[in-house]
Amino acid sequence: MSNNSVANVHELKTRLQWGQPGFTIVDVRERHTYNNGRISGAIPIPLDDLASRAKSALHKERHIYIYGDSDEQSTQAAQILRKEGFVEVAEIQGGLTAWISVGGATEGVTA
């Protein structure tokens, strides 16, 4: 993963299937949206709270996959994390919709 990377859902799904350690999935959507359905294992940090919570909630040495309501929101969130000193940040292209389209595991009310 590079400093300014966009990850496709196939990459993430493969890492999960192979049990590769050392990464975190962050959902930056609003809490009620997160509760309705999310990528399994994603942690909720709403975009508005990301800058203030990132350093205490995330480990800088881990790869971070991030997604929001849109690719634009994912890009904004990734930029916030990079400003906070996180290097290995990848935006999940297509977010939850793309994840569901490849049969990725989800959890939540409508998952």
Side-chain angles (χ1 to χ4, degrees):
M1 194 181 320
S2 68
N3 194 17
N4 288 313
S5 80
V6 175
N8 72 45
V9 290
H10 297 285
E11 173 189 331
L12 179 57
K13 190 174 181 196
T14 299
R15 286 193 76 177
L16 285 169
Q17 288 173 333
W18 285 96
Q20 292 185 2
F23 67 91
T24 302
I25 304 168
V26 178
D27 184 323
V28 297
R29 300 173 304 151
E30 292 300 317
R31 187 62 181 231
H32 67 278
T33 308
Y34 169 87
N35 289 341
N36 283 334
R38 61 194 167 273
I39 295 174
S40 291
I43 62 168
I45 306 178
L47 187 61
D48 292 343
D49 300 335
L50 190 58
S52 63
R53 290 188 47 206
K55 288 183 179 174
S56 63
L58 303 171
H59 299 285
K60 286 191 177 182
E61 66 278 359
R62 292 176 68 98
H63 292 166
I64 298 171
Y65 290 91
I66 198 158
Y67 72 99
D69 285 320
S70 64
D71 287 344
E72 292 77 19
Q73 190 181 46
S74 300
T75 298
Q76 184 182 359
Q79 289 170 343
I80 290 169
L81 287 182
R82 291 179 188 121
K83 279 185 187 173
E84 293 296 322
F86 292 84
V87 178
E88 298 293 337
V89 180
E91 303 146 37
I92 301 173
Q93 194 169 30
L96 184 61
T97 303
W99 180 250
I100 290 169
S101 75
V102 298
T106 59
E107 54 191 15
V109 177
T110 58

